[in-house]
Structure formats: structure tokens, C-alpha cells
Amino acid sequence: MIELIPAIDLIDGKCVRLTKGDYNQKKVYNDNPVEVAKGFEKMGLRRLHVVDLDGAKSKHIVNVDVLKAITTETNLIVDFGGGIKTHEDIEKAFAHGATMVTVGSVAVTHPSQFLGWLERYGADRLILGADVRNGKVSINGWMEDSQEDLLSFLKKYIDQGVTNVLCTEISKDGTMQGPATTLYKDIMEEYPHIHLIASGGVSSNGDILALDSAGIPAVVFGKAFYEGKIDIEALRNL
């Protein structure tokens, strides 16, 4: 069964969701992300994707206290992203309980730094964030588009040992209009050995099952769960 990874996106310490990465299209779902995380753990989920949206926008980690509270008060495996630009940022994330970190912008703007982190921390602790819009990788909280083509970007780092990839189709994110399944299938056909985490557009249990049938190893979901469109218990009982 596909790995189920719920997401908690943070702005001002609150659990929010954006639509297509637009900070002006923000909806607050809960003022207490720690309680949300505890809820996921009670449902039997083991992993959590935490995104520091303030950090992504500010280009440095902001919501580190929330990360620490979640990792202290639950046993969830937490991967953390957003605002990790420097050695101090990545050390801070690990020191406050992150098991893994997701790094995207640095891999675009400072490849040697990313490769240094890959060597230092290992492929099992580093997730390559590949957020894509119109076939190009976007950076800095999706506010800027780079000239990096998605597949060549992935190849560059997979050839260097990356095994974990989080790919978000920005045009789908927060829309609940269905995931970019064809894109994820294309990636898996090219790199069948990687642990690809599909993100963006999930609207229902059916979408998750379709990704599972397509051979996608893992899926991140957020808005659809908060809107009551995903039944975790039903998925876990399959």
C-alpha cells in the first residue's frame, strides 16, 4: 500500500493550507498544529510532512518551536521543509527533532551546498524537493520560477545518490482537482528505484488509490483531509 503522509503547513504557528502556493489564498484549519499531529498519530499514521511556510517566504527557518513541540509530544517520523538555506538552518531542524529534511531551493541555487549536505547527512535523511510549475522547478516558497527543467534537475541529483524525492505540481496544490498522476508515473518509469512522494491535488481516497495503482511509493495530502474528503481508517484497512 502507498505510504500515507499527512501534511501540516505552518504560518504564524497555525495549521493552514494555501491554494496553488498563493499566500493570499490562505485558510487556517487549526490554531494548534501539535494537536493535529497527535490526531494523525492516533489514526495509526507514522509519518508527518511539516512545511514552514513562513520560513520558505523569509528564507530561514521560522516555526522551529512548533517542530520541536510536535517531535517532543508525538512519536511521528517528521520530515521538515521550508526556509532551509544554510548549514545553521539544517542543523537547527535536526536539533529540534526532524528525522528528515526537505530541501528544494538550495538544490537549485547552490548545488555544491546541497551535495555537501547529501554527503554529510546521507540520502536517508535528505529529501530533494522538486516543486514544479510549467515543467520548471520553482523556489523560495514557490514565489520564483527557475530555469531548471524538472527531469534534468532530478537526474542531476539522483545520479549523485538522492533516493527520496518530494514532487509537488504547484498548479494542482490545494485545488483538490486530482493529482498529476501522469507526471509521477513518468518520473517512476525513469527512476524506478527512488522513493517518490507525490504531492498536490489529492481530493479523495480514490485519488490515493489511483496513485497506488500507478506504482507511486508515497503521497502527501493536506487540504482534502482537513475538508473531510479523505477517510484514513478506510485506507489503512485496505
Side-chain angles (χ1 to χ4, degrees):
M1 177 65 188
I2 192 170
E3 183 180 18
L4 304 173
I5 308 175
I8 292 179
D9 291 0
L10 300 170
I11 291 180
D12 297 329
K14 299 175 182 178
C15 180
V16 308
R17 293 298 290 175
L18 307 181
T19 299
K20 297 183 181 180
D22 185 351
Y23 283 76
N24 294 316
Q25 297 187 62
K26 177 186 74 175
K27 183 172 182 179
V28 177
Y29 284 98
N30 197 299
D31 289 343
N32 191 335
V34 177
E35 290 305 311
V36 175
K38 288 180 177 179
F40 287 132
E41 187 172 39
K42 287 178 182 176
M43 292 174 195
L45 298 176
R46 298 183 58 252
R47 185 163 163 183
L48 179 66
H49 177 60
V50 177
V51 182
D52 183 355
L53 290 174
D54 291 316
K57 195 172 185 179
S58 303
K59 301 184 182 180
H60 61 85
I61 291 179
V62 174
N63 286 287
V64 70
D65 291 341
V66 179
L67 169 64
K68 184 175 182 179
I70 290 172
T71 57
T72 300
E73 298 187 39
T74 75
N75 291 310
L76 292 166
I77 297 168
V78 176
D79 72 76
F80 181 83
I84 296 177
K85 307 293 186 187
T86 65
H87 180 69
E88 288 74 23
D89 287 323
I90 196 169
E91 283 289 313
K92 187 180 290 186
F94 285 135
H96 285 77
T99 303
M100 311 172 78
V101 295
T102 301
V103 179
S105 299
V106 166
V108 174
T109 59
H110 296 86
S112 61
Q113 183 174 331
F114 179 83
L115 290 172
W117 290 348
L118 183 63
E119 183 177 357
R120 180 184 179 108
Y121 299 106
D124 58 334
R125 301 198 73 190
L126 210 58
I127 301 170
L128 176 62
D131 303 325
V132 61
R133 179 164 42 210
N134 299 321
K136 302 293 184 181
V137 178
S138 294
I139 60 174
N140 296 328
W142 303 348
M143 293 186 290
E144 301 173 39
D145 292 333
S146 74
Q147 295 304 307
E148 291 269 8
D149 177 75
L150 175 64
L151 291 179
S152 61
F153 174 74
L154 294 178
K155 176 176 171 52
K156 176 169 59 178
Y157 288 115
I158 292 170
D159 286 350
Q160 294 292 326
V162 162
T163 56
N164 294 292
V165 174
L166 172 68
C167 185
T168 303
E169 170 50 76
I170 297 169
S171 68
K172 298 278 190 179
D173 194 68
T175 66
M176 294 198 301
Q177 294 177 354
T181 307
T182 301
L183 172 65
Y184 305 133
K185 284 177 68 176
D186 289 345
I187 294 171
M188 288 305 299
E189 285 176 8
E190 193 75 23
Y191 308 109
H193 67 285
I194 68 169
H195 189 75
L196 176 65
I197 307 164
S199 172
V202 171
S203 66
S204 64
N205 282 23
D207 283 341
I208 292 175
L209 294 175
L211 288 168
D212 185 43
S213 296
I216 311 305
V219 60
V220 163
F221 55 86
K223 188 173 184 177
F225 172 81
Y226 298 120
E227 296 281 351
K229 307 295 186 184
I230 290 178
D231 185 338
I232 300 294
E233 185 176 356
L235 288 169
R236 293 190 67 249
N237 288 333
L238 289 173

